[in-house]
mmCIF file of all heavy atoms in Angstrom:
data_model
loop_
_atom_site.group_PDB
_atom_site.id
_atom_site.type_symbol
_atom_site.label_atom_id
_atom_site.label_comp_id
_atom_site.label_asym_id
_atom_site.label_seq_id
_atom_site.Cartn_x
_atom_site.Cartn_y
_atom_site.Cartn_z
ATOM 1 N N TYR A 513 51.457 47.574 -59.202
ATOM 2 C CA TYR A 513 52.337 46.659 -59.925
ATOM 3 C C TYR A 513 52.376 47.084 -61.393
ATOM 4 O O TYR A 513 51.327 47.314 -61.999
ATOM 5 C CB TYR A 513 51.836 45.224 -59.815
ATOM 6 C CG TYR A 513 51.723 44.744 -58.379
ATOM 7 C CD1 TYR A 513 50.573 45.015 -57.623
ATOM 8 C CD2 TYR A 513 52.755 44.036 -57.788
ATOM 9 C CE1 TYR A 513 50.468 44.592 -56.311
ATOM 10 C CE2 TYR A 513 52.651 43.603 -56.470
ATOM 11 C CZ TYR A 513 51.508 43.879 -55.734
ATOM 12 O OH TYR A 513 51.409 43.455 -54.433
ATOM 13 N N PRO A 514 53.564 47.190 -61.999
ATOM 14 C CA PRO A 514 53.656 47.717 -63.365
ATOM 15 C C PRO A 514 53.363 46.673 -64.429
ATOM 16 O O PRO A 514 53.442 45.469 -64.192
ATOM 17 C CB PRO A 514 55.123 48.155 -63.452
ATOM 18 C CG PRO A 514 55.841 47.172 -62.583
ATOM 19 C CD PRO A 514 54.900 46.893 -61.432
ATOM 20 N N LEU A 515 53.028 47.148 -65.618
ATOM 21 C CA LEU A 515 53.104 46.316 -66.810
ATOM 22 C C LEU A 515 54.584 46.092 -67.114
ATOM 23 O O LEU A 515 55.450 46.859 -66.675
ATOM 24 C CB LEU A 515 52.442 47.008 -67.996
ATOM 25 C CG LEU A 515 51.004 47.506 -67.813
ATOM 26 C CD1 LEU A 515 50.548 48.246 -69.073
ATOM 27 C CD2 LEU A 515 50.065 46.359 -67.485
ATOM 28 N N VAL A 516 54.889 45.055 -67.862
ATOM 29 C CA VAL A 516 56.273 44.798 -68.273
ATOM 30 C C VAL A 516 56.278 44.517 -69.765
ATOM 31 O O VAL A 516 55.639 43.559 -70.223
ATOM 32 C CB VAL A 516 56.894 43.620 -67.501
ATOM 33 C CG1 VAL A 516 58.332 43.379 -67.990
ATOM 34 C CG2 VAL A 516 56.877 43.883 -65.995
ATOM 35 N N ILE A 517 56.974 45.356 -70.521
ATOM 36 C CA ILE A 517 57.067 45.209 -71.973
ATOM 37 C C ILE A 517 58.530 45.354 -72.368
ATOM 38 O O ILE A 517 59.166 46.370 -72.049
ATOM 39 C CB ILE A 517 56.208 46.260 -72.713
ATOM 40 C CG1 ILE A 517 54.735 46.148 -72.294
ATOM 41 C CG2 ILE A 517 56.344 46.094 -74.225
ATOM 42 C CD1 ILE A 517 53.848 47.246 -72.861
ATOM 43 N N GLY A 518 59.051 44.344 -73.040
ATOM 44 C CA GLY A 518 60.444 44.403 -73.470
ATOM 45 C C GLY A 518 61.415 44.552 -72.318
ATOM 46 O O GLY A 518 62.482 45.141 -72.468
ATOM 47 N N GLY A 519 61.062 44.040 -71.164
ATOM 48 C CA GLY A 519 61.920 44.131 -69.987
ATOM 49 C C GLY A 519 61.781 45.426 -69.226
ATOM 50 O O GLY A 519 62.412 45.602 -68.173
ATOM 51 N N GLU A 520 60.959 46.355 -69.696
ATOM 52 C CA GLU A 520 60.785 47.648 -69.036
ATOM 53 C C GLU A 520 59.473 47.682 -68.259
ATOM 54 O O GLU A 520 58.455 47.128 -68.701
ATOM 55 C CB GLU A 520 60.790 48.782 -70.064
ATOM 56 C CG GLU A 520 62.096 48.963 -70.806
ATOM 57 C CD GLU A 520 62.027 50.133 -71.776
ATOM 58 O OE1 GLU A 520 61.218 51.063 -71.523
ATOM 59 O OE2 GLU A 520 62.739 50.109 -72.785
ATOM 60 N N LYS A 521 59.500 48.352 -67.113
ATOM 61 C CA LYS A 521 58.292 48.548 -66.316
ATOM 62 C C LYS A 521 57.522 49.731 -66.905
ATOM 63 O O LYS A 521 58.070 50.826 -67.070
ATOM 64 C CB LYS A 521 58.656 48.784 -64.856
ATOM 65 C CG LYS A 521 59.242 47.530 -64.188
ATOM 66 C CD LYS A 521 59.670 47.800 -62.769
ATOM 67 C CE LYS A 521 60.033 46.500 -62.068
ATOM 68 N NZ LYS A 521 60.939 45.625 -62.831
ATOM 69 N N ILE A 522 56.266 49.509 -67.199
ATOM 70 C CA ILE A 522 55.444 50.505 -67.904
ATOM 71 C C ILE A 522 54.278 50.932 -67.009
ATOM 72 O O ILE A 522 53.595 50.095 -66.412
ATOM 73 C CB ILE A 522 54.901 49.911 -69.231
ATOM 74 C CG1 ILE A 522 56.043 49.391 -70.102
ATOM 75 C CG2 ILE A 522 54.040 50.939 -69.952
ATOM 76 C CD1 ILE A 522 57.033 50.452 -70.557
ATOM 77 N N TRP A 523 54.046 52.256 -66.964
ATOM 78 C CA TRP A 523 52.900 52.817 -66.237
ATOM 79 C C TRP A 523 52.040 53.609 -67.217
ATOM 80 O O TRP A 523 52.567 54.211 -68.155
ATOM 81 C CB TRP A 523 53.366 53.719 -65.101
ATOM 82 C CG TRP A 523 54.235 53.009 -64.106
ATOM 83 C CD1 TRP A 523 55.589 52.927 -64.103
ATOM 84 C CD2 TRP A 523 53.788 52.239 -62.980
ATOM 85 N NE1 TRP A 523 56.021 52.160 -63.055
ATOM 86 C CE2 TRP A 523 54.933 51.734 -62.337
ATOM 87 C CE3 TRP A 523 52.521 51.950 -62.454
ATOM 88 C CZ2 TRP A 523 54.866 50.944 -61.204
ATOM 89 C CZ3 TRP A 523 52.454 51.153 -61.314
ATOM 90 C CH2 TRP A 523 53.605 50.654 -60.700
ATOM 91 N N THR A 524 50.762 53.579 -67.026
ATOM 92 C CA THR A 524 49.853 54.372 -67.849
ATOM 93 C C THR A 524 49.058 55.309 -66.945
ATOM 94 O O THR A 524 49.171 55.254 -65.717
ATOM 95 C CB THR A 524 48.879 53.466 -68.634
ATOM 96 O OG1 THR A 524 48.020 52.784 -67.705
ATOM 97 C CG2 THR A 524 49.638 52.452 -69.479
ATOM 98 N N GLU A 525 48.275 56.157 -67.566
ATOM 99 C CA GLU A 525 47.554 57.164 -66.791
ATOM 100 C C GLU A 525 46.450 56.568 -65.919
ATOM 101 O O GLU A 525 46.066 57.143 -64.902
ATOM 102 C CB GLU A 525 46.947 58.199 -67.739
ATOM 103 C CG GLU A 525 47.987 59.033 -68.476
ATOM 104 C CD GLU A 525 47.337 60.051 -69.402
ATOM 105 O OE1 GLU A 525 46.092 60.043 -69.490
ATOM 106 O OE2 GLU A 525 48.071 60.835 -70.019
ATOM 107 N N LYS A 526 45.958 55.401 -66.307
ATOM 108 C CA LYS A 526 44.832 54.820 -65.575
ATOM 109 C C LYS A 526 45.252 53.532 -64.871
ATOM 110 O O LYS A 526 45.875 52.663 -65.476
ATOM 111 C CB LYS A 526 43.668 54.535 -66.531
ATOM 112 C CG LYS A 526 42.396 54.079 -65.828
ATOM 113 C CD LYS A 526 41.240 53.950 -66.804
ATOM 114 C CE LYS A 526 39.953 53.548 -66.098
ATOM 115 N NZ LYS A 526 38.824 53.392 -67.058
ATOM 116 N N LEU A 527 44.896 53.446 -63.579
ATOM 117 C CA LEU A 527 45.184 52.243 -62.804
ATOM 118 C C LEU A 527 43.901 51.428 -62.619
ATOM 119 O O LEU A 527 42.834 51.985 -62.343
ATOM 120 C CB LEU A 527 45.749 52.603 -61.432
ATOM 121 C CG LEU A 527 47.158 53.211 -61.395
ATOM 122 C CD1 LEU A 527 47.482 53.660 -59.981
ATOM 123 C CD2 LEU A 527 48.189 52.203 -61.891
ATOM 124 N N THR A 528 44.017 50.122 -62.768
ATOM 125 C CA THR A 528 42.877 49.226 -62.564
ATOM 126 C C THR A 528 42.967 48.625 -61.166
ATOM 127 O O THR A 528 43.975 48.003 -60.820
ATOM 128 C CB THR A 528 42.876 48.091 -63.596
ATOM 129 O OG1 THR A 528 42.843 48.655 -64.906
ATOM 130 C CG2 THR A 528 41.687 47.169 -63.390
ATOM 131 N N PRO A 529 41.938 48.813 -60.323
ATOM 132 C CA PRO A 529 41.975 48.201 -58.986
ATOM 133 C C PRO A 529 41.550 46.731 -59.057
ATOM 134 O O PRO A 529 40.693 46.353 -59.860
ATOM 135 C CB PRO A 529 40.948 49.022 -58.202
ATOM 136 C CG PRO A 529 39.961 49.461 -59.239
ATOM 137 C CD PRO A 529 40.736 49.635 -60.529
ATOM 138 N N SER A 530 42.153 45.920 -58.228
ATOM 139 C CA SER A 530 41.706 44.534 -58.065
ATOM 140 C C SER A 530 40.998 44.430 -56.729
ATOM 141 O O SER A 530 41.588 44.671 -55.669
ATOM 142 C CB SER A 530 42.894 43.573 -58.108
ATOM 143 O OG SER A 530 42.441 42.245 -57.948
ATOM 144 N N ILE A 531 39.726 44.068 -56.771
ATOM 145 C CA ILE A 531 38.859 44.107 -55.589
ATOM 146 C C ILE A 531 38.696 42.700 -55.012
ATOM 147 O O ILE A 531 38.555 41.725 -55.741
ATOM 148 C CB ILE A 531 37.490 44.700 -55.972
ATOM 149 C CG1 ILE A 531 37.664 46.179 -56.340
ATOM 150 C CG2 ILE A 531 36.477 44.555 -54.844
ATOM 151 C CD1 ILE A 531 36.447 46.787 -56.987
ATOM 152 N N SER A 532 38.710 42.606 -53.702
ATOM 153 C CA SER A 532 38.483 41.324 -53.040
ATOM 154 C C SER A 532 37.002 40.974 -53.108
ATOM 155 O O SER A 532 36.165 41.730 -52.617
ATOM 156 C CB SER A 532 38.919 41.391 -51.580
ATOM 157 O OG SER A 532 38.515 40.223 -50.893
ATOM 158 N N PRO A 533 36.631 39.819 -53.697
ATOM 159 C CA PRO A 533 35.202 39.483 -53.813
ATOM 160 C C PRO A 533 34.537 39.203 -52.463
ATOM 161 O O PRO A 533 33.328 39.324 -52.344
ATOM 162 C CB PRO A 533 35.200 38.238 -54.706
ATOM 163 C CG PRO A 533 36.562 37.660 -54.567
ATOM 164 C CD PRO A 533 37.483 38.811 -54.335
#
Side-chain angles (χ1 to χ4, degrees):
Y513 302 85
L515 307 176
V516 179
I517 302 174
E520 296 182 26
K521 292 177 171 49
I522 305 297
W523 301 93
T524 65
E525 294 180 357
K526 187 174 182 181
L527 291 173
T528 302
S530 180
I531 293 169
S532 171

